[in-house]
Amino acid sequence: MTAPSAATPAVPSDNPAPEATSASALRLDRGGIGHTTADQVEVRMGGIGALQAEDVFVQWGGIGATRADAVGVEFGAIGAALAGEVRVTQGFAGSIIARDATLEQAIARTVIAQRVTINRPSAIGILIAQQVHGDVKPLLDWRGALAAGAVIGLAAAIGIAVRSGEREARRRGLGLARRR
């Protein structure tokens, strides 16, 4: 992953955030953009709501959602990433769907990837991966997810049965479900 060159146009902090932009390379310093499409994007102390790019690098900033070939986050946050390669170093990621994901002292809510590498202690809520390298203990692995899904499904079925029983009682005029 390479960062855009220093000659790329930067979005200054005193300009209002544009709703949408499109560029081949974008460097954002201390500003914000609603959504954008670019080949290479570098964000430092700024934020982008939605982004589609080939190469993304975030440092001390954040991105709401991105679709990219490669995403790198250092001391920043990303809400959702759909990418070929994702690397989060001392940052936060909400949801990652990737071919390769690497986390170093990072926190991620959900990681779904073919290969996941944990280089330093990191916290992952839900992890679904074909290969995992490194020491990680997710809060919910595939067995826990299966058990949680069964419990939620059973609770939903009971709730639906109770509601349909109440509706049927009201329809027949029985006093079981009357409210005063």
Side-chain angles (χ1 to χ4, degrees):
M1 199 168 10
T2 60
S5 66
T8 24
V11 177
S13 62
D14 53 354
N15 286 353
E19 281 303 310
T21 62
S22 181
S24 63
L26 175 68
R27 181 175 177 191
L28 180 65
D29 288 323
R30 297 184 191 116
I33 295 176
H35 60 288
T36 187
T37 302
D39 292 337
Q40 293 182 328
V41 176
E42 182 178 349
V43 178
R44 294 188 191 276
M45 297 178 67
I48 297 176
L51 170 65
Q52 184 168 353
E54 290 181 18
D55 193 13
V56 178
F57 179 71
V58 179
Q59 186 175 37
W60 294 99
I63 294 177
T66 186
R67 183 174 183 176
D69 292 337
V71 176
V73 178
E74 289 183 5
F75 303 106
I78 191 157
L82 176 61
E85 177 186 347
V86 176
R87 181 177 195 88
V88 181
T89 304
Q90 295 183 346
F92 171 79
S95 299
I96 296 174
I97 299 175
R99 185 181 58 250
D100 295 312
T102 303
L103 282 79
E104 295 184 27
Q105 291 182 332
I107 298 172
R109 185 182 63 220
T110 305
V111 177
I112 300 171
Q114 186 175 7
R115 287 182 296 275
V116 176
T117 304
I118 310 298
N119 290 334
R120 295 188 227 167
S122 296
I124 299 176
I126 299 171
L127 174 62
I128 300 172
Q130 184 178 8
Q131 298 174 3
V132 178
H133 303 283
D135 189 25
V136 63
K137 293 189 179 192
L139 297 176
L140 193 61
D141 62 359
W142 71 271
R143 292 174 291 252
L146 188 62
V151 168
I152 291 169
L154 181 62
I158 290 171
I160 290 169
V162 168
R163 284 186 184 153
S164 66
E166 287 177 355
R167 271 188 253 138
E168 183 65 23
R170 266 191 241 121
R171 189 180 68 79
R172 291 187 178 187
L174 300 176
L176 299 175
R178 287 189 185 151
R179 296 182 186 174
R180 293 183 181 180

